Amino acid sequence: QVQLVESGGGLVQAGGSLRLSCAASGRTFSNYAMGWFRQAPGKEREFVAGIPRSGGRTLYADSVKGRFTISRDNAKNTVYLFMSSLKPEDTAVYYCAADLASVVFTAAAQYDYWGQGTQVTVSS
C-alpha cells in the first residue's frame, strides 16, 4: 500500500502561481512513477503531468505544457507540481497518483494508488 496526501491547493487569481505537494508513505517511493491528474466538475479526470521513478524525462498534457512543472524528491518521498500562469480553466480538484512502473502513462486506469485530492480554484 502507498498512501498519498496532497496539499497546496487554494484560490488564486488568473496569472498567479501555486505549488502542489504530494507526500507518500508506505512502500518505497522511488519504485513508483508519479502522476498528477485533475478533474473539473462534470468532466472526466485528465492527465496533467507525470514523472518517472528517478526523475528525468517528464510528460505533460498539451494544455499545461510550458506553464506547469512536475518534480520529485525521493529522499523526501514527495512529488511536486508547480503551476504558473494559471487560467480559470485550470480550476479543478488535483490528484496525485502512483504507478508501479518504470515509465509514465497518461491513463488514469494505469495508476495503482491515489490521493484524496486538493482543490485549485483560479478566479478571472
Side-chain angles (χ1 to χ4, degrees):
Q1 287 282 349
V2 175
Q3 292 78 42
L4 302 172
V5 179
E6 302 96 336
S7 61
L11 174 63
V12 63
Q13 288 189 334
S17 301
L18 278 176
R19 190 182 77 160
L20 306 183
S21 299
C22 173
S25 61
R27 299 284 178 89
T28 304
F29 179 68
S30 58
N31 285 347
Y32 292 83
M34 299 298 296
W36 284 97
F37 290 76
R38 66 186 181 187
Q39 188 166 19
K43 295 188 176 181
E44 292 188 356
R45 192 169 297 191
E46 65 174 356
F47 174 82
V48 175
I51 188 166
R53 292 171 174 172
S54 59
R57 191 170 185 176
T58 53
L59 188 64
Y60 297 92
D62 287 344
S63 59
V64 306
K65 204 171 292 184
R67 300 189 298 122
F68 290 12
T69 302
I70 187 171
S71 61
R72 67 188 296 162
D73 185 338
N74 286 347
K76 295 183 178 180
N77 291 349
T78 302
V79 62
Y80 305 96
L81 184 68
F82 179 72
M83 306 183 295
S84 63
S85 301
L86 282 161
K87 305 174 182 179
E89 51 264 44
D90 294 318
T91 295
V93 177
Y94 283 72
Y95 299 89
C96 71
D99 177 19
L100 189 62
S102 58
V103 297
V104 173
F105 291 92
T106 60
Q110 176 71 28
Y111 289 76
D112 304 297
Y113 302 102
W114 292 83
Q116 82 290 348
T118 186
Q119 176 71 47
V120 172
T121 302
V122 184
S123 63
S124 56

